Amino acid sequence: MPRIAYFGPRGTFTEQAAAAFDAHAELVPLPTIPLAVAAVRAGEADLACVPVENSVEGAVSATMDTLAGDAPVVAVAERVLPVRFSVLVRPGATFADVQTVASHPHALAQVQQWLGKHMANVTQLASTSTAAAAVGVLAGEFDAAVTAPVAAAHYPLAELATEVADESDAVTRFLVLSRPGALPEPTGADRTSVFVVVSHRPGELAAMLTELAMRGINVSRIESRPLRNRFGEYRFYLDFDGHIAEQRVGDALAALHRRSQRVRFLGSYPKADGVASTVTDGTGDTDYRESAAWLAALRRGEDA
């Protein structure tokens, strides 16, 4: 039974994502994203489940920065969950009793329209997670918490509202991380994640993307984060279709390694949506094998 550390406490969307990955796993809540990933790096957990991006608020910077630091970890799976919130209060409380409402900043940002309509004069406060806000309500620190629905099963609080969301189709993507080792087998519907530090010269970002484009690789996400010790320079996080076991992806990664200051491989894993990657003419594994055989014959002096 694997031990999965996750961004807690109990009652977060991350707990739901971890359980969706393995319903039989031992789930271990930790108070921050860095601590959940550190548990894997230290061998205290087999896996870690952390949020990486939200369709409304974008990338989760704490996850991106944690992936870049210390010993490498790699993603072995992703999960995507629809985001609908519950508003929890102490039993017996009504809308009129709520003077403060708390949640993680990403959660508060996703319910601003709802709060403006139903709690316009309420003070909004940030907490370290949605579930931490529920704990704060229990402790009397806040009057209400915007939480994942699963929190209602963990804490003796009442649901003041459910199915709360400004965007009806909002989702959050989560990564399941492990220490480097055997990678998931390619499925034909895979995603590869890396971060790259390019040379600080004109055109280097375009050149990096060209290495992928010329091999028919579709980039699905690109984000930048500043290098903390080099003001004005950035590391770029890339998600693109394909698996490192594919020749075109391996060839592209080798090219990025040759021309960049640093490349960290963050994993090749099945996409949550199961949509197969498109392989353009001339970029499939068979094409690479045939061209390699042709070149080898030329080098042997044969008529190819």
Side-chain angles (χ1 to χ4, degrees):
M1 184 172 65
R3 182 177 171 89
I4 305 179
Y6 69 91
F7 175 37
R10 293 190 308 161
T12 60
F13 285 105
T14 314
E15 180 189 23
Q16 290 182 242
F21 174 73
D22 189 335
H24 303 291
E26 177 188 359
L27 303 183
V28 182
L30 291 171
T32 67
I33 289 170
L35 286 175
V37 179
V40 172
R41 287 175 168 145
E44 297 167 358
D46 302 298
L47 302 165
C49 185
V50 294
V52 67
E53 66 172 324
N54 174 265
S55 62
V56 176
E57 282 298 289
V60 179
S61 58
T63 296
M64 296 168 67
D65 291 342
T66 300
L67 292 175
D70 299 323
V73 292
V74 294
V76 296
E78 68 175 15
R79 291 293 182 269
V80 175
L81 296 184
V83 178
R84 305 286 188 279
F85 297 97
S86 293
V87 178
L88 303 185
V89 295
R90 288 180 290 277
T94 66
F95 277 96
D97 300 317
V98 176
Q99 300 299 312
T100 58
V101 60
S103 195
H104 188 277
H106 273 211
L108 289 174
Q110 294 177 72
V111 295
Q112 284 301 298
Q113 294 177 28
W114 188 92
L115 289 174
K117 180 178 180 180
H118 299 279
M119 296 182 174
N121 298 317
V122 170
T123 300
Q124 299 179 31
L125 300 170
S127 62
T128 56
S129 70
T130 56
V135 174
V137 172
L138 280 175
E141 299 172 12
F142 319 120
D143 297 321
V146 177
T147 73
V150 70
H154 289 305
Y155 304 104
L157 297 171
E159 288 184 321
L160 187 63
T162 60
E163 294 293 312
V164 174
D166 290 347
E167 300 291 338
S168 59
D169 57 352
V171 297
T172 296
R173 183 165 73 103
F174 301 83
L175 293 180
V176 179
L177 306 169
S178 76
R179 291 179 294 281
L183 298 173
E185 292 294 321
T187 66
D190 303 293
R191 193 186 317 278
T192 292
S193 299
V194 298
F195 82 70
V196 182
V197 179
V198 299
S199 299
H200 196 49
R201 296 191 299 265
E204 283 301 306
L205 176 58
M208 175 183 73
L209 296 175
T210 298
E211 295 288 0
L212 299 168
M214 66 189 296
R215 293 169 175 86
I217 295 173
N218 177 55
V219 177
S220 56
R221 184 175 76 111
I222 180 169
E223 302 276 354
S224 64
R225 290 289 295 164
L227 296 175
R228 294 182 178 180
N229 58 344
R230 287 152 58 182
F231 180 73
E233 296 186 46
Y234 299 83
R235 67 172 62 92
F236 294 91
Y237 291 79
L238 297 156
D239 289 339
F240 50 84
D241 289 354
H243 192 285
I244 193 173
E246 297 176 61
Q247 184 65 46
R248 63 188 181 121
V249 175
D251 198 41
L253 290 175
L256 293 180
H257 186 268
R258 287 195 301 271
R259 68 175 307 130
S260 303
Q261 293 184 16
R262 186 184 181 199
V263 178
R264 174 173 280 190
F265 174 68
L266 300 175
S268 288
Y269 47 92
K271 292 190 288 186
D273 60 15
V275 176
S277 303
T278 299
V279 181
T280 58
D281 292 343
T283 65
D285 283 358
T286 299
D287 299 307
Y288 274 92
R289 285 193 296 270
E290 290 177 352
S291 61
W294 174 81
L295 180 60
L298 290 179
R299 287 172 171 169
R300 292 193 301 268
E302 300 174 4
D303 183 5

